[in-house]
Amino acid sequence: MLRNDWTIEEVNAIYHKPVLELIVDAATVHRQYNTTAEVQVCTLLSVKTGGCSEDCSYCPQAARYNTGIDAHRLMKYEDVVERAAEAKHNGSTRFCMGAAWRSIKDGADFDHVIEMVRGVNALGLEVCCTLGMLDETQAQRLKDAGLYAYNHNLDTSDQFYKEVITTRTYDDRLTTLDNVEKAGISVCCGGIIGLGETDDDRIKLLHTLATRAKHPESVPVNALVAVEGTPLEHQGKVNIWEMVRMIATARILMPKSMVRLSAGRNDMSIIEQSLCFLAGANSIFAGEKLLTTPNPEVNQDKLMFEMLGLVPRESFKEVKASASVC
Ligand code: SAM
Ligand code: DTB
Ligand code: SF4
């Protein structure tokens, strides 16, 4: 049974279990609710890169930090659809378009993104966007164009958020999540570890996600990619056991959600990634780039899937399953 009434004490107790016991518990829940050999393969594309007005201290795309990234305006429709077709060819079933915007502004650029959503949807891919804050009308326009999911992360606890970002609030984030949900778009919401937060901040983030009226359909768990030029450039690498603890706790709290092993895979061995899959991760970003930072090569991931006996999850599985029940 899915629960939305987890107490902070319960989350704390799960998170702090001896790690091997935690993995066994998470793997058991995973097996009970999901096909454990299945891993969703998603591709990310930065359709508008850099020059962002926000001050997210982890982000290489904030205009105020000198990170040397290759900034570019909104990509052309044809180029985006071509990249989506290529992603589909390489086995991805979800295509996520990211823009370095604080929020969506109505106008030509948004109209253009709406066309991209239509074009990618027509390829039979699950379309996802991450475009910053949005209002109810904008969410509805995206939904009408065929948007399947919207990524908007809470990143950390309410309390620690202010230490990481000052140009918007936690409540702003929650409002956007509500707008996305009201439009009937699937919510993708998770966080980052390695920002200098405490275990309590991680526990509070997981508690906030798991006590929403509806669990997010997907929960990305990112390890900070410390980029030179950002205020967090000197943060140490996230330890694999911290990643495993986060993934396993998310899996136990939100049994049916897709838990995505997101940023940070490029620094992990196949054995480390296997521990994450064992702990309940069932989604990855594929392709040699995330938004601006490197990710494992497609062939390397194909080899990993073969080695571990993993199979890519089909697209729209959730929708197909509920249609066959009706
Ligand atoms: N501008 C939009 C927003 O902030 O929602 C969308 C793009 S933003 C890059 C999407 C997410 O990427 C952030 O919420 C954060 O969780 C993650 N992210 C950004 N930079 C990262 C980094 N250096 N390491 C790990 N995750 C990162
Ligand atoms: C998410 O949670 N992680 C992805 C996606 N959602 C948009 C982004 C990771 C970005 C890592 C830094 C970069 O490549 O710029
Ligand atoms: Fe802008 Fe998003 Fe990066 Fe923050 S995380 S600086 S909002 S692109």
Side-chain angles (χ1 to χ4, degrees):
M1 191 190 64
L2 299 190
R3 283 184 53 193
N4 308 73
D5 61 351
W6 296 100
T7 64
I8 197 85
E9 291 75 21
E10 285 176 309
V11 181
N12 189 64
I14 296 170
Y15 180 92
H16 283 295
K17 274 191 185 184
V19 75
L20 296 182
E21 214 174 294
L22 178 58
I23 294 175
V24 173
D25 288 357
T28 307
V29 170
H30 194 29
R31 177 167 274 183
Q32 197 182 332
Y33 284 88
N34 307 297
T35 309
T36 49
E38 247 176 32
V39 172
Q40 179 191 46
V41 183
C42 317
T43 294
L44 265 177
L45 178 67
S46 182
V47 296
K48 188 266 168 188
T49 308
C52 183
S53 61
E54 300 293 274
D55 71 350
C56 312
S57 47
Y58 49 73
C59 187
Q61 302 199 64
R64 64 192 76 201
Y65 312 136
N66 284 322
T67 57
I69 57 155
D70 195 7
H72 66 77
R73 288 165 186 274
L74 194 60
M75 285 177 71
K76 283 204 231 134
Y77 172 88
E78 294 75 24
D79 295 343
V80 171
V81 173
E82 192 183 314
R83 295 287 288 273
E86 196 183 307
K88 184 175 176 181
H89 176 77
N90 283 330
S92 278
T93 51
R94 180 173 287 201
F95 190 72
C96 180
M97 297 179 272
W101 288 332
R102 167 185 166 75
S103 57
I104 298 178
K105 302 262 179 311
D106 291 320
D109 276 359
F110 185 40
D111 297 348
H112 215 68
V113 170
I114 292 287
E115 288 316 309
M116 292 174 189
V117 170
R118 275 193 231 286
V120 177
N121 185 41
L123 293 174
L125 287 160
E126 293 178 15
V127 195
C128 174
C129 277
T130 181
L131 313 167
M133 294 182 276
L134 50 69
D135 63 28
E136 274 187 68
T137 318
Q138 291 166 335
Q140 195 55 55
R141 272 193 77 191
L142 285 163
K143 170 74 182 170
D144 294 344
L147 189 78
Y148 186 81
Y150 196 81
N151 167 249
H152 201 65
N153 292 338
L154 287 173
D155 284 341
T156 187
S157 70
D158 188 359
Q159 293 74 12
F160 192 64
Y161 199 76
K162 308 170 193 53
E163 311 289 323
V164 183
I165 299 151
T166 68
T167 49
R168 57 168 191 262
T169 66
Y170 213 67
D171 277 346
D172 289 333
R173 292 306 265 189
L174 291 167
T175 304
T176 290
L177 291 175
D178 290 344
N179 292 338
V180 168
E181 224 159 46
K182 273 186 226 154
I185 298 168
S186 160
V187 170
C188 169
C189 182
I192 314 184
I193 61 170
L195 305 171
E197 74 287 344
T198 62
D199 283 336
D200 278 350
D201 291 311
R202 295 176 188 174
I203 289 162
K204 281 181 186 148
L205 167 67
L206 290 166
H207 180 256
T208 304
L209 295 171
T211 54
R212 285 185 64 77
K214 190 165 184 246
H215 294 161
E217 178 249 0
S218 51
V219 180
V221 179
N222 295 279
L224 174 74
V225 181
V227 177
E228 209 181 313
T230 63
L232 296 180
E233 65 179 339
H234 298 303
Q235 279 295 118
K237 184 176 172 260
V238 167
N239 178 301
I240 184 62
W241 301 113
E242 300 178 75
M243 202 63 182
V244 165
R245 224 174 247 295
M246 207 55 201
I247 288 171
T249 310
R251 169 55 62 215
I252 293 169
L253 299 176
M254 297 167 278
K256 287 186 86 168
S257 301
M258 307 297 302
V259 177
R260 187 167 306 124
L261 170 57
S262 304
R265 269 196 327 117
N266 207 39
D267 292 328
M268 287 182 193
S269 66
I270 290 187
I271 295 176
E272 288 174 327
Q273 294 180 62
S274 308
L275 282 170
C276 295
F277 295 128
L278 195 58
N282 61 348
S283 175
I284 56 164
F285 285 121
E288 61 198 37
K289 227 188 204 185
L290 288 166
L291 290 172
T292 65
T293 62
N295 197 43
E297 306 261 340
V298 171
N299 284 341
Q300 215 174 308
D301 280 341
K302 285 202 170 135
L303 218 60
M304 175 173 77
F305 270 50
E306 270 169 35
M307 206 184 285
L308 302 179
L310 299 174
V311 288
R313 177 185 155 104
E314 63 175 307
S315 56
F316 302 107
K317 196 178 174 191
E318 201 68 26
V319 182
K320 286 175 196 158
S322 53
S324 67
V325 169
C326 297

